[in-house]
Amino acid sequence: MRMDLVEYMQPHPSATQQHAMELDAPTAPPVPAPDTDQILPMASSAKHREWQNIQQATFVNWINDKLGSGKNSTGLRVERLNTDLSDGVVLLKLLENLTGAKFPKYNAAPKLAAHSLVNLDIAFQYLREEGVKLVSIGSQNVFNGDLTLIMGLVWTLIQKYQIKIKGYTQGSAKQVMLEWLQALLPSCRVTNFTRDWSNGLTLLALINEIKEGLVPTIDKLNPSNKHSNCTLAIRTASTHLKIPPILRPDDLSSSSIDELSVITYLSYFCKPAEAMLLKWVRDTIPHIKVSNFSSDWSNGVTLATMVEACYPGTFPDWRRLRPEEGAENVAQVFAAVKARLGVAPNMKAEELASGEVEDLKVMAYIFRIRNGRLLTLSGEVSASGPGLSSVMVGKQTYFTINTAMAGPGQLHIDAQDMRGNKVKFSLMESRSTIVVRYTPLHIGELTFDILWSDQPIANSPFTARVLDSDSIRIVDLESHPTVVHTNQPIQLDIDTSRSGYGFVTAYFSYNDSKRNVFVETTSDGKKVSLSYTPGTPGEATLRLFWNNEELTHLAVHYTVVDHGAYKVVSYPEKRLYRTFDSAQFSVKSSGPSLGQLHMTAICGEVQIPIGFRLIDGKIGYASFVPTLSGKFRVEVACAGQLVEGSPFLVQVSDPSKCIVKTHPPKYLSIGEAHEFTVSTKDAGEGEIQFSCQDGRKVEENFRTRLAQDPDGTQRLFCMMISRHENATVGAPVEFVISVPSPLLKPVVKAIGKTAHYNVTVTTADSINYKANFVPWEVGRHEVAITYGSYHISGSPVEFNVKPQSGGGAYTATGTGLQSALTGVPSQFYILTRVQGLIENGTLSVSVCGVVNKVEGRVRVRDNRDGTYSVAYLVHEQGAYLVSVQVANQHIVGSPFRLTASLGPRANMCRMYGQALDEEAMLTVGRPIEFSIDTTGAGSGKLTVKAIGPQGNEAKVFLARNQKSAVYDVKLDPLTSGKHRVSVKWADVHVPGSPFVLKIWPGIDPSKCKASGPGLHDGVVGSQAHFTIDTRQAGAGVLVVHLRGMKNAFKINMRPADEMDRRTLIAQYEAQVPGEYLISILWSDQHIPGSPFKVRIHGQNADKKKAGGLAGGLATPLHSQVDLSAHVEDDDVQGEPYDPQRKSRLARIFYKSDKSNKANGIDHTMPNFSRSSMRSKSIATMTSQAARSTSVQQNASPQKMLVVSAKDSDGIDAGGSAAAAGKAEAAEQTRHKQVFEGDATVLRIKPNKGQKKPHRRRKL
């Protein structure tokens, strides 16, 4: 805290001269004292002396009040500030009473100046420890009686311990107090602490605000009677609020009164005002504990709750706030209050969230909210509903107007049709929602002008189209096929854009039976799409219903056929047919007539119809005769769908279409190529056979080659070459190659058993090339000669390489003498004339590092043909020397120098990513991603494969990061099921490979089906049911909403049977007539046909009780209750409870008669008092017994559902239920009842010895 003394040296505080004592943060630097030349003399006039005397008297009274009286009296009194504080005793006693501290070691009766200074030093040292920074004042100043500095010290104590200014925010005590009083007394318009209080009326208003009714005659008082008004105010505050009169009425009504005196007196009103405001807050939000105006408001939740309680609709999302996000919560509330009330925040959101804010600033902000009023915002009024879009002639409709966010105002609606006639309507209001009902009488457009306080609401005026069901049509019905196949979807689009608000249902009926199959539909508001796959052949009809009324003019008749009943069982025998040959095949039927088949042979634009030449029972034999060459595509189809085994190809050729264009010469020369051409482009597929013989009928001295030109011309090359019967190791092998053109160079490749040679090809002349290489390996060799990517005739050439004979040096050759990879064996060969060098110890081979001196492992094998195979292995990178010695003498080139690079190390690879998470839900249609880090794995090739059920291989996409050795892998599985994933680096499994991924079918709400009489109109008191089929919808969450009259009926859910838990049966018995909407959602998406409108009819006497859309809304129409539970495939671990969701949640488990406490199951449900039952409910449903609220009473040998749910006031909990399509065996589980917030949740924990759930694990 910093003490600024200028304020106490001015004769009278003015707009430019007022300096209040401010509290600094503990780390704030001290401020130097002002220059004495700037201090005005306080005794310059009588008015100044009066101002000083009032302030000194006020400070003296404040000190004496704090020193206490009666039992709490210290026995000390102060008369003059400049003398009575000089010994330090009074100051120490004052600090003890203000702070509760005790100072045992001080001079209670000082006689010497030193004793007084010691006392003052103790007091000043304590103030410094309290964080009060004292500038330009010390013990000597107080001892010397410096009145100005002493008054500054007293003002510092008043700020610190009376007003309790903490110094967290900017602004002096005067500013904070003024802001607080302006918020508390908005009608008084307080701007200062002098003239606004001199008539006493403002002080009386403050007293009345803190305790209403203390001054009932305040409006009758005369502002001119300042002294009497001030006397009344000070006496009333002392009597009823226990505020000491430290300020006299004469001083308060004086024109010389100073601000600090008034502020000191008014600071006594902070405590009763705080108690009054705290009581108001607790009455407003009784369910939240509030004890202060600092830390209890830092999370923003208390402020948001209070604002919503005072002004409903101002901050409707207060329940979703998370306490740990305090600053963000406060900022949202500040913005909402400013927008709805026009009250701007007087602090930053971060200040309130941190708790480091003055209590008076928080109180001022709350006072402004309490005294505020909602702004009239017509733009915040919204209107929606079917009555503002498309409506049906003669049928009642409605729309709703929401005024929750609009503030006070008055609603006006002007409705008329195209002719200018007024439209009659009725209004029904429930809280901030107004329901408007009307019945259109004519086709056309209706206009609704909706005003709020004479201002148009958002999107006003509104236009509604009046239509009828005759406008519904099927899109492109003319081109829609009426002959369809089994297992082939029938898809139709129905245009309902001009038909108004309603829903379409469809049924597929076979003509030879009374069975009607419900067809699922989806709608986007303008178009209804349906898809149905027939399962059996026959004649059938698709029937459409609009709002439960059959549209007979839109019925579609189908003929369903099964192409899977036919199969091609035999094919034409020959691979290649000639023209006018008969190609025969046969087709078999498993039941239907073969007469439904259509067979055609197609070649280009030519189509040859095919008919059966013989039908023997269920097998038909067919044949056709091609009249031209080419590939014939034979198609066997049933109603446009190819049968199994079709199509197949029949190759037809016509040798008569081969034409020799140029003939070979009469004479041939050795080494000279000769060319002639044969055109086969019209002959179809075939092979040209060509041979060339000499007079002895020997063909091996000739080389021929066949080339295909783009126009179908075959070019034949023929030349005579020399052969190499044998070759010798180390001796060059040479070939002479003749080519037809010098524009293209032949390519020659030579390989041995293991060796690959570099072949040198040089030009001999314009059409001849020489190819040579030196073999170093014994055995069979092969030379491949290609010209223009085609092998020449006779290529590849094979010949034998023999060991050297006679003299010659030892040599070594092979790739292992050029480079090596760590961890990978390298190989080379030693060529000699001698065998047995290993047995007699003459041959030695070593591999040693040049720098690290690490020796490699070496293995030498005698090939028994004068050659030796050498393999060696090194494990570190670097330069190596390979030494080959015979009889301790290096052979030619030894030692050989080479470099070993890093080899592949699969064990260094690391896999990570979403797909490897055991809790991840992997579905078909969504890419499955993970990454492989090959840093430090050396050189190698990454291969990833994922094999699914029945050998189906998932698509694999690999992408390497350009800046690192990380590969991103994406798998796109084609089918669901377990997939075996193998990841290899250089053909070696990486750690964790192979592993298994469980792929689930994709979530498809369109596969859910709901049907039954319970989704149509009913009668009060009658049992109704409907069925929900989720078997084909994949893994997901099923939610059932009921909207309508509160407590009208409850929906009970159970599985169809033990073997089919994915099919659920819902039952209910309506007790109150009305109109209800049943919404069925799969993973937050409506299933086909949802929401379903159900009308419950009753007697006339029940109409008063009817709710929903028929007899009035007892609760807002948009309210809903959710009871949700997981429905999942096997081995999927789900968590249905989500505390972040506002909806009503329930967890459902299946129990059997074996599920008792002995097996670890607790059936005990919590006991609720009558008051707590208003906000909580527990429903227990069994498959046989009547509904009951006790699980123990309903326990039976039958399976049962236990639902724990939350039901809050104001929500139309007309009865909702959700069921699970999968549940684990209750015999192996233990239920534990816990509470989270206002919701009751059943958690499952495994018993000791219970098998753990399936985990993804390495094979």
Side-chain angles (χ1 to χ4, degrees):
M1 175 178 289
R2 183 179 72 249
M3 182 179 70
D4 194 343
L5 304 181
V6 177
E7 176 176 15
Y8 309 100
M9 301 176 182
Q10 299 294 338
H12 193 280
S14 63
T16 59
Q17 297 173 344
Q18 294 175 2
H19 298 275
M21 295 298 293
E22 296 181 6
L23 289 173
D24 288 347
T27 57
V31 178
D35 296 336
T36 57
D37 295 338
Q38 299 176 353
I39 302 176
L40 298 177
M42 298 182 61
S44 59
S45 66
K47 188 173 184 178
H48 295 161
R49 286 193 298 272
E50 183 181 359
W51 171 84
Q52 181 185 17
N53 293 335
I54 292 175
Q55 187 178 103
Q56 183 178 1
T58 303
F59 285 2
V60 167
N61 292 337
W62 178 79
I63 293 175
N64 290 332
D65 175 65
K66 296 305 176 183
L67 288 176
S69 60
K71 295 182 180 180
N72 299 325
S73 175
T74 59
L76 299 176
R77 298 287 295 176
V78 175
E79 299 294 338
R80 299 179 60 84
L81 291 177
N82 58 343
T83 59
D84 294 350
L85 301 181
S86 60
D87 61 358
V89 176
V90 173
L91 185 58
L92 288 172
K93 286 294 184 180
L94 178 62
L95 290 176
E96 285 183 344
N97 284 5
L98 291 175
T99 65
K102 297 296 181 182
F103 303 101
K105 296 181 180 180
Y106 69 94
N107 296 291
K111 297 180 180 180
L112 301 177
H115 296 164
S116 300
L117 290 173
V118 169
N119 291 344
L120 292 171
D121 288 341
I122 293 174
F124 276 92
Q125 179 62 30
Y126 177 78
L127 289 175
R128 293 188 187 94
E129 293 175 356
E130 285 282 289
V132 180
K133 290 190 177 182
L134 304 173
V135 182
S136 300
I137 186 172
S139 303
Q140 193 67 44
N141 302 109
V142 179
F143 180 76
N144 293 337
D146 192 329
L147 182 59
T148 300
L149 295 180
I150 292 174
M151 292 175 70
L153 175 62
V154 175
W155 175 241
T156 301
L157 297 178
I158 292 173
Q159 291 183 94
K160 174 73 175 178
Y161 300 108
Q162 176 71 19
I163 307 177
K164 297 183 180 180
I165 297 297
K166 305 172 185 176
Y168 290 142
T169 56
Q170 295 182 352
S172 63
K174 170 190 169 182
Q175 295 171 335
V176 174
M177 286 286 295
L178 184 61
E179 180 184 344
W180 173 71
L181 289 168
Q182 288 173 342
L184 182 59
L185 305 172
S187 60
C188 295
R189 299 182 180 180
V190 179
T191 60
N192 55 69
F193 289 98
T194 53
R195 59 181 179 274
D196 287 348
W197 302 87
S198 60
N199 62 9
L201 296 183
T202 306
L203 183 59
L204 288 170
L206 176 62
I207 296 172
N208 247 3
E209 185 68 26
I210 294 175
K211 196 169 184 179
E212 186 177 0
L214 287 181
V215 189
T217 61
I218 187 172
D219 295 335
K220 300 180 180 180
L221 297 178
N222 189 352
S224 301
N225 299 330
K226 296 183 178 180
H227 186 273
S228 61
N229 294 340
C230 292
T231 301
L232 175 63
I234 293 175
R235 184 173 62 249
T236 303
S238 174
T239 302
H240 296 280
L241 300 182
K242 307 303 179 184
I243 294 177
I246 66 171
L247 193 64
R248 298 184 306 164
D250 295 341
D251 296 337
L252 181 60
S253 60
S254 172
S255 61
S256 301
I257 186 67
D258 73 296
E259 290 183 327
L260 303 188
S261 297
V262 177
I263 292 174
T264 303
Y265 178 67
L266 293 178
S267 65
Y268 279 93
F269 290 85
C270 294
K271 188 173 182 179
E274 179 182 5
M276 176 269 295
L277 183 60
L278 198 60
K279 181 180 182 301
W280 175 82
V281 170
R282 290 169 178 170
D283 293 341
T284 304
I285 47 176
H287 56 284
I288 296 182
K289 295 182 180 179
V290 182
S291 60
N292 57 63
F293 289 99
S294 55
S295 60
D296 287 350
W297 303 79
S298 60
N299 59 13
V301 177
T302 304
L303 183 60
T305 308
M306 184 199 73
V307 170
E308 180 64 19
C310 293
Y311 307 99
T314 301
F315 201 83
D317 295 335
W318 62 274
R319 284 190 176 90
R320 298 182 180 178
L321 296 181
R322 303 175 64 180
E324 61 270 17
E325 299 176 354
E328 182 178 349
N329 298 341
V330 173
Q332 294 182 31
V333 180
F334 280 177
V337 171
K338 185 176 181 180
R340 299 303 314 283
L341 302 178
V343 176
N346 60 346
M347 70 199 87
K348 296 180 179 178
E350 293 77 8
E351 294 176 349
L352 182 57
S354 65
E356 297 180 353
V357 64
E358 307 295 347
D359 290 4
L360 291 180
K361 293 182 75 68
V362 179
M363 292 170 61
Y365 184 67
I366 297 175
F367 274 128
R368 291 173 66 189
I369 294 175
R370 188 195 70 164
N371 298 330
R373 59 175 297 175
L374 287 172
L375 302 176
T376 300
L377 303 173
S378 60
E380 296 296 330
V381 180
S382 62
S384 61
L388 294 179
S389 55
S390 299
V391 297
M392 303 300 294
V393 173
K395 294 184 179 180
Q396 187 185 69
T397 184
Y398 74 97
F399 61 90
T400 59
I401 302 174
N402 188 353
T403 63
M405 307 293 290
Q410 197 168 21
L411 180 67
H412 175 75
I413 302 176
D414 182 19
Q416 59 183 4
D417 58 16
M418 297 177 62
R419 301 182 180 90
N421 300 322
K422 296 292 184 179
V423 178
K424 296 181 180 180
F425 57 85
S426 62
L427 300 178
M428 184 178 63
E429 184 174 357
S430 176
R431 294 186 180 179
S432 59
T433 301
I434 301 172
V435 180
V436 182
R437 303 180 188 277
Y438 70 95
T439 301
L441 302 177
H442 305 285
I443 296 176
E445 291 187 349
L446 304 179
T447 302
F448 292 87
D449 287 314
I450 305 176
L451 305 178
W452 182 257
S453 294
D454 298 328
Q455 296 294 326
I457 71 170
N459 301 321
S460 179
F462 298 87
T463 301
R465 292 181 299 169
V466 182
L467 306 171
D468 57 27
S469 60
D470 293 336
S471 62
I472 302 175
R473 66 182 185 88
I474 298 176
V475 180
D476 297 331
L477 180 61
E478 298 79 8
S479 59
H480 183 69
T482 56
V483 179
V484 296
H485 297 270
T486 58
N487 302 321
Q488 176 185 356
I490 297 174
Q491 295 180 341
L492 279 178
D493 291 334
I494 304 170
D495 183 4
T496 61
S497 59
R498 295 173 296 172
S499 60
Y501 177 76
F503 58 93
V504 173
T505 53
Y507 293 91
F508 196 81
S509 304
Y510 284 90
N511 297 347
D512 57 353
S513 66
K514 296 182 180 180
R515 183 168 58 94
N516 293 327
V517 181
F518 176 78
V519 179
E520 58 188 31
T521 61
T522 58
S523 175
D524 60 2
K526 296 183 178 180
K527 181 180 67 176
V528 176
S529 299
L530 62 85
S531 177
Y532 176 71
T533 303
T536 57
E539 299 294 326
T541 303
L542 179 65
R543 303 168 60 194
L544 299 178
F545 294 82
W546 171 253
N547 290 340
N548 298 325
E549 178 182 353
E550 185 172 5
L551 306 176
T552 56
H553 64 287
L554 295 181
V556 184
H557 301 280
Y558 291 95
T559 300
V560 183
V561 296
D562 183 9
H563 70 279
Y566 305 97
K567 179 180 180 181
V568 178
V569 294
S570 67
Y571 301 92
E573 298 177 353
K574 298 181 182 180
R575 187 185 69 83
L576 182 63
Y577 282 80
R578 292 186 179 184
T579 53
F580 300 102
D581 287 347
S582 177
Q584 301 180 1
F585 61 94
S586 61
V587 181
K588 182 179 181 180
S589 170
S590 61
S593 171
L594 291 170
Q596 297 183 2
L597 297 181
H598 177 72
M599 299 178 290
T600 308
I602 304 172
C603 181
E605 297 181 356
V606 177
Q607 297 187 9
I608 303 176
I610 305 175
F612 288 106
R613 62 179 179 85
L614 176 64
I615 296 179
D616 184 10
K618 297 298 182 180
I619 298 180
Y621 300 91
S623 65
F624 74 99
V625 178
T627 58
L628 71 160
S629 61
K631 292 182 179 179
F632 280 83
R633 172 187 171 94
V634 180
E635 295 182 349
V636 181
C638 175
Q641 189 76 25
L642 295 176
V643 304
E644 183 180 354
S646 173
F648 57 88
L649 297 179
V650 176
Q651 192 72 45
V652 181
S653 65
D654 188 356
S656 65
K657 299 296 183 181
C658 295
I659 301 174
V660 179
K661 290 187 174 182
T662 59
H663 295 272
K666 186 175 182 181
Y667 301 99
L668 301 177
S669 301
I670 295 177
E672 181 180 355
H674 301 276
E675 176 182 344
F676 59 100
T677 59
V678 179
S679 176
T680 62
K681 66 176 182 178
D682 296 329
E685 188 73 17
E687 181 179 356
I688 291 290
Q689 296 180 353
F690 171 75
S691 64
C692 186
Q693 300 176 352
D694 59 9
R696 300 170 297 168
K697 298 184 180 181
V698 177
E699 298 182 13
E700 63 181 4
N701 289 331
F702 295 88
R703 293 292 182 262
T704 60
R705 181 172 63 83
L706 180 65
Q708 175 78 38
D709 286 347
D711 62 354
T713 302
Q714 306 283 342
R715 292 186 292 110
L716 302 173
F717 294 92
C718 174
M719 61 183 173
M720 301 180 65
I721 64 172
S722 59
R723 292 179 60 88
H724 285 271
E725 295 296 336
N726 291 295
T728 306
V729 172
V733 175
E734 184 176 282
F735 287 84
V736 178
I737 307 168
S738 297
V739 298
S741 173
L743 299 178
L744 195 60
K745 185 178 180 179
V747 178
V748 183
K749 295 181 180 180
I751 59 175
K753 290 190 298 183
T754 60
H756 293 261
Y757 302 99
N758 293 325
V759 181
T760 303
V761 180
T762 58
T763 304
D765 51 45
S766 61
I767 61 172
N768 294 318
Y769 289 86
K770 290 184 179 180
N772 63 78
F773 70 96
V774 179
W776 65 70
E777 192 174 35
V778 176
R780 299 295 296 176
H781 281 60
E782 182 181 277
V783 176
I785 306 172
T786 57
Y787 183 78
S789 301
Y790 292 95
H791 281 276
I792 70 170
S793 183
S795 174
V797 179
E798 293 185 358
F799 59 91
N800 187 49
V801 177
K802 296 182 178 180
Q804 295 177 349
S805 60
Y810 298 97
T811 60
T813 184
T815 57
L817 297 177
Q818 301 171 2
S819 62
L821 293 175
T822 60
V824 179
S826 301
Q827 191 173 8
F828 64 91
Y829 298 91
I830 302 174
L831 310 178
T832 70
R833 304 187 306 271
V834 183
Q835 301 182 16
L837 294 178
I838 299 177
E839 287 81 352
N840 57 30
T842 306
L843 177 64
S844 64
V845 181
S846 64
V847 179
C848 182
V850 175
V851 178
N852 52 26
K853 303 302 180 182
V854 176
E855 294 187 356
R857 296 171 56 190
V858 181
R859 180 177 60 83
V860 183
R861 184 181 65 189
D862 190 345
N863 296 328
R864 301 301 178 182
D865 58 0
T867 64
Y868 293 83
S869 299
V870 181
Y872 65 90
L873 183 67
V874 295
H875 295 282
E876 295 185 13
Q877 304 179 68
Y880 285 85
L881 293 178
V882 179
S883 298
V884 181
Q885 296 180 346
V886 177
N888 297 325
Q889 296 294 323
H890 283 282
I891 68 172
V892 177
S894 178
F896 302 91
R897 186 182 181 93
L898 58 91
T899 301
S901 303
L902 181 65
R905 295 190 293 174
N907 62 319
M908 297 298 294
C909 296
R910 183 174 65 90
M911 298 187 297
Y912 60 91
Q914 172 219 359
L916 305 181
D917 186 0
E918 295 180 353
E919 303 299 330
M921 174 71 75
L922 309 177
T923 60
V924 175
R926 295 184 179 178
I928 299 169
E929 301 177 348
F930 62 96
S931 299
I932 304 170
D933 189 352
T934 62
T935 303
S939 59
K941 180 181 180 182
L942 181 67
T943 56
V944 180
K945 287 187 177 182
I947 308 299
Q950 300 180 355
N952 293 322
E953 187 170 350
K955 295 181 180 179
V956 179
F957 303 93
L958 291 177
R960 179 172 178 173
N961 192 308
Q962 296 179 354
K963 298 182 180 180
S964 65
V966 177
Y967 289 81
D968 294 327
V969 182
K970 288 187 178 181
L971 303 180
D972 188 5
L974 302 178
T975 59
S976 60
K978 294 182 179 180
H979 283 62
R980 182 180 184 271
V981 182
S982 61
V983 181
K984 294 183 179 180
W985 181 254
D987 293 329
V988 178
H989 282 285
V990 304
S993 174
F995 57 91
V996 173
L997 297 179
K998 177 67 174 179
I999 310 298
W1000 300 100
I1003 298 175
D1004 189 358
S1006 65
K1007 299 296 184 182
C1008 286
K1009 302 177 182 178
S1011 61
L1015 299 179
H1016 304 294
D1017 294 354
V1019 180
V1020 170
S1022 62
Q1023 289 283 347
H1025 70 276
F1026 58 92
T1027 303
I1028 305 175
D1029 186 356
T1030 66
R1031 289 174 295 181
Q1032 304 298 324
V1037 179
L1038 180 66
V1039 178
V1040 178
H1041 297 269
L1042 174 65
R1043 301 201 303 179
M1045 188 67 180
K1046 185 175 181 179
N1047 296 328
F1049 59 86
K1050 296 181 179 180
I1051 300 179
N1052 300 324
M1053 308 287 291
R1054 62 178 178 84
D1057 53 60
E1058 186 66 22
M1059 301 302 296
D1060 183 12
R1061 296 184 176 180
R1062 295 295 299 266
T1063 300
L1064 307 174
I1065 297 178
Q1067 294 180 334
Y1068 66 86
E1069 181 179 342
Q1071 302 298 328
V1072 180
E1075 188 169 303
Y1076 302 88
L1077 289 180
I1078 299 177
S1079 298
I1080 305 175
L1081 297 93
W1082 183 253
S1083 294
D1084 297 329
Q1085 298 184 39
H1086 281 281
I1087 72 169
S1090 177
F1092 300 90
K1093 182 185 291 184
V1094 178
R1095 292 187 179 91
I1096 303 300
H1097 302 283
Q1099 301 298 327
N1100 294 332
D1102 295 331
K1103 289 185 178 180
K1104 295 182 179 180
K1105 298 181 181 180
L1109 305 180
L1113 293 178
T1115 58
L1117 182 65
H1118 60 271
S1119 300
Q1120 61 187 30
V1121 176
D1122 297 346
L1123 289 177
S1124 41
H1126 271 289
V1127 180
E1128 303 178 348
D1129 288 341
D1130 292 337
D1131 299 332
V1132 176
Q1133 304 298 321
E1135 177 56 47
Y1137 178 72
D1138 184 358
Q1140 299 300 325
R1141 295 183 58 184
K1142 284 182 58 180
S1143 60
R1144 179 184 179 189
L1145 302 177
R1147 295 188 63 177
I1148 300 179
F1149 305 99
Y1150 292 88
K1151 297 182 181 180
S1152 67
D1153 56 334
K1154 298 180 181 179
S1155 304
N1156 47 41
K1157 292 187 178 181
N1159 290 333
I1161 298 179
D1162 186 4
H1163 292 287
T1164 305
M1165 304 298 289
N1167 294 322
F1168 294 93
S1169 63
R1170 178 172 301 178
S1171 60
S1172 65
M1173 285 298 291
R1174 299 171 183 170
S1175 60
K1176 304 181 188 293
S1177 65
I1178 298 179
T1180 302
M1181 297 170 285
T1182 66
S1183 59
Q1184 292 184 350
R1187 294 189 298 272
S1188 173
T1189 58
S1190 172
V1191 175
Q1192 295 174 340
Q1193 294 175 0
N1194 286 328
S1196 67
Q1198 303 295 329
K1199 299 289 183 180
M1200 64 182 178
L1201 303 176
V1202 179
V1203 181
S1204 173
K1206 172 182 175 292
D1207 182 11
S1208 59
D1209 293 338
I1211 295 180
D1212 49 305
S1216 301
K1222 173 208 168 182
E1224 298 293 340
E1227 291 83 357
Q1228 300 178 354
T1229 60
R1230 172 170 58 90
H1231 291 191
K1232 180 182 178 182
Q1233 188 93 31
V1234 298
F1235 293 92
E1236 297 183 4
D1238 292 332
T1240 306
V1241 184
L1242 283 173
R1243 290 182 176 171
I1244 297 183
K1245 294 185 177 180
N1247 283 328
K1248 295 182 179 180
Q1250 176 184 347
K1251 293 184 178 179
K1252 296 183 178 180
H1254 172 73
R1255 297 285 185 182
R1256 194 167 299 137
R1257 59 183 184 275
K1258 181 180 176 183
L1259 293 178

